[in-house]
Amino acid sequence: MLNLTEQIGVHQDFNLYIKSFKERLSSLFNTEYDYNSISLSRGLPPTFLSEIMAMNPLSVAIPEEHGGRGVHVKECLGVLSAASYESLSLSLMFGINIALFLEPFAKYADPSLHASVFKRFLEDKAMGGLMITEPGYGSDALSMRTAHELQGDTYTIKGQKHWQGLTGAADFWLVTARKTVANGELARDIDFFVTDNAIEDQKIIVQRKFNNLGLYAIPYGLNDINIKVPAVQKLVAESTGIKLMLDTLHRSRLQFPGMGMGFIKRLLDESLLHCKTRRVSGQPLSEIDAVKFQLSRIQAAYTLCSAMCSYSSSISSIAEDLFGNAVDANSVKALVTDLMQESAQIALQLAGANGYRLDHIAGRSVVDSRPFQIFEGSNEMLYSQVADAVVRVMRKTKVGNLLDYLKSYELTKDAAEIFGSTLNINLPDQTKQRQMVTLGRMIARVVCFQFVVHSNHRGFNNEMTEITRQHIQMDLSMLAGQWSAGTQADPLMDYEEGSDWTNFIHQ
């Protein structure tokens, strides 16, 4: 008789695998351990994490020829979703490994490195991550100061990186750096290197750990880099390192819905159960009209996230080059993380006082989902980039009306007409950045609702689709109001002069 971890091995049918994986996670989180208590401490107990990793969840992102399940996006998203139903931190841990190490490593690393590295993931339960962000350069990655220099057949890499998930816990890293050129300046392009912390010359030193607000299971910190790696450990870009980075980040952003899926479903399940059983003035919460509205918001988020997963599964495999997919990738990442945070806020509100605890699913969800709106590109920046990309083409093709353009644009042509007059916006010659963010929020919703339309055509629930349409229509109407209001308000930096209310009280 095979034991459970052998039964759910890497060669099992995926439907059986994911079913067993979900059941095992549920047992670990809800029966064998008290995750509500564990979640209050930083990191995960080694035995607890060992039990999880014994199920080989990262095998979904390892090629079949190296003993894995084959890097199928649907399976990767399935594992992320199963994990996030129990713990968003655990799902992010998997997401970092899958999208920010294993997938780019499988696609771009020298094939001679594959066998030994993948073997350590499968047999030794190794982990990997990505280092881009620096103390002085967050989203401005192209200005990073970490530098590399080739000496013989070895690269010397020096710099600092911070806010990398799995700081001090990952065995392998993809480290980004810029080439040192003759005059001591750094080249514009970015290069990626694989590092192995088990090798002394490649060991990255953790200067200090951060007290991150949420996501307690994942360590973050400040890293000092002064390492030497063989030339073979430089990733091989198909053209430029910048395109490699964009391909990696866009693929990662398109897979965010995997982490959002189980998370939103858990909040929906918990909220529906609570509202069915909690009674106020003799009636269940679920019968109160304002509560119905809030629950339907989470159901719309669930529907959108489901459709995003379907779209990502069809487009984001490592066989595809995604460096040009800024509009869909940024729309998906920004909107799904906004939906995650909104769903958590609703769940907390519905749970009442009990939800305002870190050891309650709702309270924990609020703080754990909040950074998703910031890392891998803050949502305001991504929405602005979505609008920039669309407006640039509109101006080039001399189309001045948003609805006219979206009706012909591949990512929105099947959804734009549904929202008709709400999108009937004429672009001015000059648009302030704040309005570009608003415009990006609108475009992202139309892009993602088109995924819902396509899912509905394939049989997705009609009533859930209609709930989602109504909420997207409401959101677009509100955003259109913001656009037309066109506020010009700027902050007053020396605001205290003439603004102390106590000076205007006459007794």
Side-chain angles (χ1 to χ4, degrees):
M1 182 71 178
L2 295 175
N3 66 37
L4 184 58
T5 56
E6 290 171 331
Q7 289 177 27
I8 57 173
V10 295
H11 303 299
Q12 191 178 28
D13 173 78
F14 185 68
N15 289 330
L16 294 175
Y17 175 86
I18 202 67
K19 180 176 183 292
S20 299
F21 184 58
K22 289 177 179 179
E23 289 172 353
R24 184 74 181 115
L25 284 181
S26 179
S27 177
L28 285 169
F29 276 81
N30 303 300
T31 304
E32 299 173 47
Y33 292 84
D34 180 7
Y35 185 63
N36 283 330
S37 296
I38 290 175
S39 67
L40 297 176
S41 302
R42 297 191 180 274
L44 292 175
T47 54
F48 181 62
L49 183 58
S50 178
E51 293 273 10
I52 295 170
M53 299 308 293
M55 293 180 281
N56 279 314
L58 300 182
S59 65
V60 293
I62 294 175
E64 287 184 74
E65 60 267 30
H66 295 292
R69 297 194 58 89
V71 204
H72 303 296
V73 178
K74 178 181 176 181
E75 295 192 4
C76 293
L77 299 188
V79 164
L80 294 177
S81 177
S84 66
Y85 191 85
E86 303 294 346
S87 164
L88 190 54
S89 292
L90 179 65
S91 188
L92 179 58
M93 186 182 299
F94 292 164
I96 291 167
N97 275 277
I98 292 170
L100 299 183
F101 184 84
L102 288 168
E103 288 182 333
F105 177 79
K107 183 170 183 175
Y108 294 110
D110 190 290
S112 67
L113 302 176
H114 286 176
S116 61
V117 172
F118 289 136
K119 182 179 180 182
R120 284 173 61 184
F121 273 81
L122 287 171
E123 296 183 5
D124 301 332
K125 315 309 177 195
M127 290 196 180
L130 173 64
M131 290 190 169
I132 295 180
T133 307
E134 300 184 1
Y137 305 93
S139 297
D140 186 17
L142 298 183
S143 297
M144 69 177 64
R145 303 307 299 169
T146 299
H148 70 78
E149 192 170 2
L150 181 62
Q151 299 170 333
D153 61 355
T154 301
Y155 283 98
T156 298
I157 308 171
K158 296 181 179 180
Q160 273 194 332
K161 301 287 186 182
H162 75 164
W163 282 116
Q164 283 72 43
L166 303 178
T167 292
D171 304 278
F172 296 96
W173 290 99
L174 295 182
V175 176
T176 57
R178 296 163 66 197
K179 180 181 178 180
T180 303
V181 292
N183 59 3
E185 293 297 313
L186 300 180
R188 171 175 167 76
D189 202 16
I190 294 171
D191 294 303
F192 287 67
F193 300 86
V194 182
T195 72
D196 183 349
N197 251 30
I199 299 173
E200 190 61 33
D201 279 351
Q202 300 178 35
K203 190 175 181 62
I204 293 172
I205 305 301
V206 179
Q207 187 184 112
R208 65 189 177 94
K209 295 283 186 68
F210 295 151
N211 291 317
N212 35 295
L213 179 64
L215 299 170
Y216 278 12
I218 301 180
Y220 290 90
L222 175 65
N223 302 278
D224 289 328
I225 300 173
N226 187 355
I227 58 177
K228 298 179 187 296
V229 302
V232 72
Q233 289 179 213
K234 180 175 178 286
L235 297 193
V236 182
E238 293 173 0
S239 55
T240 66
I242 292 174
K243 284 188 175 180
L244 189 162
M245 180 175 71
L246 289 174
D247 178 58
T248 297
L249 292 179
H250 289 167
R251 182 172 293 100
S252 175
R253 289 168 187 168
L254 282 165
Q255 294 183 19
F256 266 59
M259 294 181 283
M261 192 69 257
F263 177 77
I264 292 171
K265 186 179 190 307
R266 177 64 178 276
L267 293 174
L268 178 57
D269 290 348
E270 295 282 345
S271 297
L272 285 171
L273 178 62
H274 174 72
C275 292
K276 286 176 184 175
T277 55
R278 178 73 167 178
R279 302 184 72 83
V280 176
S281 300
Q283 65 174 334
L285 271 179
S286 58
E287 294 300 317
I288 298 174
D289 187 57
V291 172
K292 289 179 181 180
F293 171 78
Q294 292 173 303
L295 291 172
S296 70
R297 288 292 289 181
I298 306 180
Q299 288 187 329
Y302 173 90
T303 301
L304 283 159
C305 191
S306 298
M308 291 179 197
C309 285
S310 179
Y311 177 76
S312 294
S313 295
S314 70
I315 197 174
S316 65
S317 85
I318 60 173
E320 305 294 332
D321 291 325
L322 302 179
F323 60 83
N325 288 67
V327 173
D328 49 349
N330 293 350
S331 294
V332 163
K333 186 273 177 181
L335 183 54
V336 78
T337 54
D338 279 354
L339 294 172
M340 289 164 67
Q341 173 65 190
E342 182 188 5
S343 297
Q345 293 283 359
I346 291 171
L348 174 58
Q349 191 74 12
L350 293 174
N354 284 332
Y356 196 64
R357 302 195 326 250
L358 268 178
D359 61 349
H360 187 281
I361 182 68
R364 186 166 64 245
S365 294
V366 168
V367 292
D368 282 355
S369 61
R370 184 62 179 91
F372 279 69
Q373 296 173 292
I374 301 170
F375 57 55
E376 265 198 54
S378 72
N379 285 2
E380 288 76 14
M381 180 186 77
L382 298 183
Y383 283 129
S384 180
Q385 289 176 357
V386 167
D388 284 339
V390 168
V391 169
R392 193 182 311 120
V393 178
M394 289 179 65
R395 298 202 192 287
K396 184 177 180 181
T397 55
K398 298 185 175 5
V399 178
N401 183 272
L402 181 64
L403 178 60
D404 289 344
Y405 178 77
L406 294 184
K407 285 194 296 186
S408 64
Y409 182 39
E410 188 64 30
L411 287 171
T412 56
K413 64 182 183 180
D414 297 327
E417 191 68 70
I418 294 171
F419 305 108
S421 60
T422 309
L423 299 172
N424 188 20
I425 292 173
N426 293 315
L427 298 186
D429 293 334
Q430 298 292 328
T431 308
K432 294 195 74 166
Q433 187 185 34
R434 68 185 65 182
Q435 286 200 292
M436 292 296 277
V437 174
T438 300
L439 189 65
R441 291 183 189 276
M442 297 179 72
I443 295 168
R445 280 163 171 77
V446 183
V447 167
C448 293
F449 190 75
Q450 178 158 297
F451 305 153
V452 175
V453 171
H454 292 170
S455 291
N456 181 250
H457 289 165
R458 291 190 292 270
F460 192 87
N461 187 295
N462 284 326
E463 291 175 291
M464 294 283 277
T465 299
E466 173 57 17
I467 287 170
T468 307
R469 184 202 64 78
Q470 291 186 39
H471 281 290
I472 291 292
Q473 177 67 70
M474 183 189 75
D475 288 354
L476 289 173
S477 297
M478 292 170 64
L479 290 165
Q482 290 182 30
W483 170 272
S484 63
T487 173
Q488 301 295 313
D490 289 331
L492 185 65
M493 294 305 173
D494 299 319
Y495 74 93
E496 291 182 316
E497 184 178 350
S499 61
D500 183 347
W501 69 270
T502 62
N503 293 332
F504 312 112
I505 302 299
H506 303 290
Q507 293 183 348

